[in-house]
Amino acid sequence: MWSYDKRLQFPVKIKNPNPQTAKIVISQLGGPDGELGASMRYLNQRYAMPYKECKGILTDIGTEELAHMEMISAIVYQLTRNLTPEQIKEGGFDAYFVDHTTGIYPQSASGVPWSAATFQSKGDPITDLFEDMAAEATPLREQSFRLFAPF
């Protein structure tokens, strides 16, 4: 079982909304290399892992990815809260806003909803671990954070 601290792993305090940035950052939540897929990848692959130590590591990594989801969701929400109708339209956030207002919905930057098709769980530990390494090595996953870190 887990212990949950009711705070973000790293505080998110964005003062100025920015719908253009929110449109890109949302991919870190529900895009093909986002945190939702990462958490599901590890938390589903752990069941077929034959070694309890490795199963524990996959569980730990999967729950860590859930913490990342919380931070990304906080970032997107803070980037979109209190927007005026003009800011929503000018920022290109109107299509998202029509369906979700300021709710957090896992999708890619292009608007494609998150899908379990973005990760694999084959039941073979070696195959699954190679898939995990390939997913973590995706350059966009880390570059997006560096690009938008100084909100």
Side-chain angles (χ1 to χ4, degrees):
M1 201 65 209
W2 299 281
S3 173
Y4 177 66
D5 292 330
K6 294 183 180 187
R7 61 182 173 79
L8 292 178
Q9 186 177 20
F10 295 98
V12 175
K13 296 184 191 296
I14 298 170
K15 295 177 185 169
N16 300 318
N18 187 323
Q20 297 95 341
T21 301
K23 279 184 61 173
I24 297 167
V25 173
I26 195 78
S27 237
Q28 289 298 317
L29 175 65
D33 300 309
E35 303 298 340
L36 178 55
S39 62
M40 294 296 99
R41 173 181 296 110
Y42 294 112
L43 292 174
N44 285 289
Q45 289 175 352
R46 69 187 173 149
Y47 292 102
M49 180 56 68
Y51 308 106
K52 67 178 183 174
E53 297 85 4
C54 295
K55 187 179 289 196
I57 290 170
L58 290 174
T59 301
D60 291 346
I61 295 170
T63 55
E64 181 77 14
E65 300 293 351
L66 291 172
H68 297 168
M69 280 179 54
E70 282 188 306
M71 289 185 291
I72 297 298
S73 295
I75 289 168
V76 171
Y77 179 74
Q78 289 180 28
L79 286 169
T80 60
R81 70 173 176 224
N82 301 323
L83 292 172
T84 67
E86 293 78 25
Q87 289 172 313
I88 293 167
K89 190 169 183 168
E90 289 170 10
F93 203 69
D94 46 339
Y96 180 95
F97 192 84
V98 166
D99 292 334
H100 311 292
T101 65
T102 57
I104 305 303
Y105 180 75
Q107 67 177 43
S108 68
S110 62
V112 176
W114 181 81
S115 167
T118 62
F119 76 93
Q120 189 54 264
S121 182
K122 297 297 275 181
D124 175 68
I126 301 300
T127 302
D128 285 347
L129 291 173
F130 268 99
E131 200 260 343
D132 298 342
M133 289 187 294
E136 292 294 338
T138 304
L140 183 59
R141 187 174 155 110
E142 299 306 322
Q143 287 174 359
S144 295
F145 278 120
R146 282 181 284 215
L147 183 62
F148 295 103
F151 296 107

